[in-house]
Amino acid sequence: MQLLYNGRLITRDPAQPYFEKGAVAFEGTNIVEVGEEAALRAKYPDAKLLDAKGGVIMPAFINAHTHIYSALARGLSIVGNNPTNFYEVLDGTWWAIDRKLTLKGTKASADALYIDCIKQGVTTIFDHHASYCEIPGSLFEIAKSAKEFGIRSCLCYEVSDRDGEEKCLQGIQENADFITYCEKENDPMLKAMFGGHALFTISDKTFDRMVAANNGRTGYHIHVSEGMNDVYDSLLNYGRRPVQRLQDHGILGPKTILGHCIHVNTAEIEIIKATDTMVVNNPESNMGNAVGICPVLPLYKNGILLGMGTDAYTNDMLESLKVALCSQRSNACMPNVAWCEVTDMLFKNNAKIGARYFPDELGVLKAGAAADIIVMDYKPFTPFSDANIDGHMIFGMTGRQCQTTIGNGKVLMLDRQLQGIDEEAVNAHILEEAKKLWGALNHCEY
């Protein structure tokens, strides 16, 4: 038994949302009890004590859409790459990177992203991977890293026709093999989806192959209408809008995630709702790629399960929360909208998305829920409680204020020190692979 104490406790549990001086008792992988510190210390006198040092104790974050393959791009400049539109961003940057990403590079990318997640309080991710240099075994390399670092992960491979039929078939097989592996392992920390890139890079023949290989075993994780490329391609070549194409192929449903959905119309929103399909907004990436703003307000109004991801633009979920709010208000030209919608996306809906894949209850601190707990180094100088915690997070907190991270009952970081990880050695390995990748991209040595 372990007892995390000496902090303001935000539970996200409506039954008992806040304790001014709270504590969380956990054992194994689950929470045993939350409550007032004095009561729990008296009740569990033999518990191992973890001091929150006056910080804010709260549920760990969930990232509902990210890309491990982009982790080694931080600081990278590719000679001659100066994109002026979304397609050039993809072809000149991200596809260029994944075409050079080896299995060792994939493992290094996963290590880098998982460390960054731990440092910013993220203990669950939904990843969408691509490494067209070496496809077979890539998801298994990521899974190895997920287990080493203790991050709950739902993984898939990005199927696309963009690099030819052989690579496309390898991507389909990688998804199928990893789904089979996860079914056999039945690891509550590791799940699989069937991944697909944007629709303008996937033919009807490839969709049919994906559906056959999946055989109804899991949901799909796919980019939809991120840019107008999807809309134009679907209408021109198939006479259907993107969401209609997905419906035609049986891709939609309660286990499927549609990333982005910026350029969806009313009819498509109705289809998404009718099929109980999930959507994930990635606000910073969308603005950075200049592709538009997701229609969060209409999606939310129609009752669609709408979550928040980062698209690997960052690993800081609070940073994405801030941008989501500002972008929605700017888009609507109204300074009084979207507060409830974007906070629900991060703090409620991401947990609901997690519940569709993982057995343990996430996003809440209460008896029986997963022991996914973080401590934020935040000392408020204005009144603070569950009534205004979201305001404190939006205007006062960042992910880097995370000082302690507990995932599935395991202390991953304590007082900003990673536990059980030789960070210098791991970073050296990551740096070496980054240098190889950058050298391959720019035809030089680093």
Side-chain angles (χ1 to χ4, degrees):
M1 175 77 70
Q2 299 188 74
L3 186 69
L4 180 62
Y5 74 102
N6 188 22
R8 294 176 173 86
L9 174 57
I10 297 291
T11 68
R12 299 287 175 184
D13 176 10
Q16 44 180 5
Y18 180 66
F19 297 91
E20 178 66 22
K21 195 170 185 180
V24 182
F26 61 98
E27 188 169 30
T29 62
N30 298 98
I31 293 170
V32 175
E33 190 175 355
V34 300
E36 295 289 349
E37 176 188 322
L40 266 60
R41 290 191 70 165
K43 187 173 182 178
Y44 304 108
D46 297 326
K48 178 181 178 181
L49 298 177
L50 299 173
D51 190 353
K53 299 183 177 178
V56 177
I57 304 170
M58 53 189 272
F61 296 114
I62 300 163
N63 188 343
H65 180 80
T66 191
H67 293 289
I68 278 171
Y69 75 83
S70 69
L72 302 186
R74 185 177 293 176
L76 169 66
S77 177
I78 301 176
V79 175
N81 181 38
N82 181 32
T84 61
N85 57 56
F86 182 49
Y87 180 84
E88 290 178 0
V89 169
L90 293 174
D91 190 49
T93 305
W94 304 118
W95 295 351
I97 288 172
D98 75 56
R99 284 171 180 144
K100 300 294 185 182
L101 197 61
T102 64
L103 286 180
K104 287 184 178 180
T106 289
K107 178 62 166 61
S109 298
D111 291 350
L113 186 133
Y114 284 134
I115 286 177
D116 218 35
C117 285
I118 292 170
K119 289 186 174 183
Q120 298 184 77
V122 177
T123 58
T124 300
I125 69 165
F126 285 76
D127 188 71
H128 194 278
H129 182 63
S131 54
Y132 275 79
C133 178
E134 289 188 275
I135 297 172
S138 56
L139 294 183
F140 294 87
E141 287 299 306
I142 295 173
K144 187 188 304 181
S145 184
K147 292 180 180 181
E148 289 172 2
F149 290 94
I151 300 296
R152 187 179 287 98
S153 302
C154 185
L155 309 177
C156 70
Y157 190 87
E158 179 181 287
V159 173
S160 172
D161 293 318
R162 65 180 183 260
D163 278 3
E165 186 173 32
E166 181 182 352
K167 293 291 186 180
C168 174
L169 292 174
Q170 287 181 5
I172 290 171
Q173 191 62 49
E174 183 68 7
N175 276 302
D177 290 346
F178 191 70
I179 292 166
T180 299
Y181 169 79
C182 287
E183 286 178 331
K184 291 180 179 178
E185 290 289 304
N186 196 27
D187 185 342
M189 294 284 286
L190 188 65
K191 300 299 176 183
M193 298 181 79
F194 208 110
H197 192 246
L199 278 79
F200 75 90
T201 74
I202 302 176
S203 65
D204 279 351
K205 181 180 179 180
T206 295
F207 270 135
D208 289 340
R209 285 171 164 173
M210 289 167 61
V211 170
N214 187 13
N215 196 26
R217 293 182 292 169
T218 189
Y220 299 84
H221 193 165
I222 186 166
H223 296 164
V224 177
S225 297
E226 182 177 2
M228 285 300 293
N229 313 62
D230 266 358
V231 180
Y232 295 148
D233 181 78
S234 289
L235 290 173
L236 179 64
N237 294 311
Y238 306 97
R240 306 283 276 163
R241 287 187 68 91
V243 173
Q244 292 172 319
R245 276 192 73 200
L246 295 176
Q247 185 181 35
D248 292 343
H249 289 282
I251 300 292
L252 304 178
K255 300 277 280 187
T256 288
I257 289 177
L258 308 184
H260 305 293
C261 285
I262 295 169
H263 303 287
V264 292
N265 66 9
T266 301
E268 290 177 292
I269 290 174
E270 290 175 353
I271 292 170
I272 294 169
K273 171 58 180 175
T275 54
D276 194 22
T277 302
M278 300 174 282
V279 173
V280 176
N281 175 220
N282 305 276
E284 288 180 280
S285 172
N286 296 160
M287 294 183 73
N289 288 330
V291 291
I293 304 294
C294 175
V296 163
L297 300 178
L299 290 166
Y300 189 94
K301 184 178 180 180
N302 279 271
I304 289 166
L305 180 52
L306 177 62
M308 186 177 294
T310 66
D311 208 34
Y313 197 93
T314 179
N315 296 307
D316 184 344
M317 298 309 299
L318 290 177
E319 182 180 308
S320 287
L321 177 67
K322 300 171 200 291
V323 175
L325 179 62
C326 293
S327 63
Q328 290 301 314
R329 289 182 170 181
S330 178
N331 194 49
C333 297
M334 296 182 67
N336 65 342
V337 300
W339 184 283
C340 294
E341 289 84 353
V342 299
T343 54
D344 279 357
M345 285 159 58
L346 179 57
F347 299 119
K348 295 180 181 179
N349 295 353
N350 276 10
K352 293 177 182 177
I353 290 172
R356 295 194 179 185
Y357 276 91
F358 298 103
D360 289 313
E361 189 172 8
L362 306 175
V364 64
L365 303 183
K366 68 177 185 179
D372 281 30
I373 314 160
I374 60 175
V375 179
M376 301 296 285
D377 180 13
Y378 182 71
K379 308 298 190 295
F381 51 78
T382 56
F384 179 100
S385 74
D386 60 300
N388 65 3
I389 179 60
D390 293 340
H392 279 275
M393 290 192 175
I394 289 172
F395 297 111
M397 290 188 189
T398 68
R400 292 293 178 188
Q401 286 173 285
C402 183
Q403 67 186 41
T404 292
T405 301
I406 299 165
N408 202 39
K410 181 180 178 182
V411 179
L412 306 178
M413 180 173 72
L414 182 63
D415 297 330
R416 290 196 170 89
Q417 295 297 314
L418 298 179
Q419 303 295 295
I421 298 169
D422 185 344
E423 188 174 0
E424 286 194 13
V426 174
N427 281 349
H429 156 68
I430 295 169
L431 179 60
E432 186 62 30
E433 290 303 320
K435 287 180 177 179
K436 290 178 184 177
L437 175 64
W438 290 23
L441 288 165
N442 285 314
H443 309 290
C444 65
E445 290 187 7
Y446 281 88

